[in-house]
Amino acid sequence: MNDVTQSENPHSRCGFVAIVGRPNVGKSTLLNHVLGQKLSITSRKPQTTRHQILGIKTEGDVQAIYVDTPGMHEDEPRALNRYMNRTASSALKHVDVVVFVVDRHHWTPADEMVLKKLEHLKCPVILAVNKVDKLERRDTLLPVLEELARKRDFAEIIPMSALKEQNLAPLEEAVARFLPESVHFYPDDQITDRSERFVASEMVREKITRQLGAELPYSVAVEIEEFKHDGKTLHISALILVEREGQKKIVIGDKGERLRSIGQEARADMERMFESKVMLRLWVKVRRGWADSDRALKSLGMNDS
């Protein structure tokens, strides 16, 4: 974590809020909509989030430092999966509030596993019941909430829709109530502790995942090799790593068409985020077995927090 700059307001509130849940339940979408801009990458593919990412929101006297985490899952067959589980679990250490995100459709064994990891926490746990916008009849929600309430003594249970931004204000208000009185840890205009290079690499990975989610497994990583301002233009060079030659051909596409499409979409997001013209160059390289190797993960910056 970076060095922090503290606010001078002695009556302010500040603390860490872990967003946890099973894969693909809407944690990153929730963080992005709370912050009002894209920070965590999203896709329909489970386990898109790999890293622990801080999203910082300051409103008046309240600074909530949200920790978006990879989805916790039961199987750990590869080093990458083990890394993501460790990262998600480590987010529960030293936090002031936990937001446990579940899907209102059904409770799964993976939800039960996450709940078990929360058993010994002393901090408040808020249950955020996501995707209620998809309910055909509102009267079916109450029995679902009553059943969920029996699973743990939750500090609050809040039905909401991260994607449609429904009922997010009550969730943020609940979080604020449980934060301790404290000076602010970060400047009021800072939104993350991650570097611009990291954000750029995640933007490229999101476009790959979104465009090729059905064709490619999780064996894709992105390294930023150049990140340089030249006047009003930002030059970014990114290396896309895959495990097999066949995957490289998929990412490049016919006559380079897929790679160009990935680059165009990523560049548009980067220009909005960095408020600068971006020149983006992408390459694809085969690095066999990186997702099975703890050493390779560390070389890609996937170190346990």
Side-chain angles (χ1 to χ4, degrees), residues 212 215-217 219-220 242-253 284-288:
L212 298 170
E215 301 170 67
L216 226 56
S219 307
V220 175
V242 296
E243 290 192 301
R244 297 191 297 276
E245 197 65 39
Q247 295 169 348
K248 179 178 178 179
K249 291 177 181 177
I250 291 172
V251 174
I252 293 173
V284 187
K285 180 180 179 181
V286 176
R287 183 179 294 178
R288 299 185 186 281

Side-chain angles (χ1 to χ4, degrees), residues 221-225 237-241 281 283-285 287:
V222 178
E223 279 186 327
I224 300 298
E225 296 193 315
S237 297
L239 182 63
I240 299 169
L241 297 174
R281 302 172 188 83
W283 287 269
V284 187
K285 180 180 179 181
R287 183 179 294 178

Side-chain angles (χ1 to χ4, degrees), residues 3 22 24 31 34 47 62 81 93 96 111 150 157 163 167 169 172 174 177 217 224 251 260 266 268 279 284 301:
D3 292 337
R22 62 177 165 83
N24 210 30
L31 176 62
V34 165
Q47 302 171 29
V62 177
N81 298 90
K93 299 174 183 176
D96 301 288
D111 292 312
R150 289 193 286 269
I157 299 179
L163 186 62
N167 233 27
E172 291 188 69
R177 284 198 303 274
I224 300 298
V251 174
R260 278 194 298 274
M279 295 292 292
V284 187

Side-chain angles (χ1 to χ4, degrees), residues 14-15 19 41 62 102 127 129 136 139 149 165 167 180 190 222-223 230 245 262 273 286 289 291 300:
C14 182
I19 303 176
I41 71 174
V62 177
V102 299
L127 185 69
V129 185
E136 293 181 7
D139 61 350
E165 298 188 3
N167 233 27
Q190 187 170 341
V222 178
E223 279 186 327
D230 184 6
E245 197 65 39
I262 290 166
M273 171 63 80
V286 176
L300 290 169

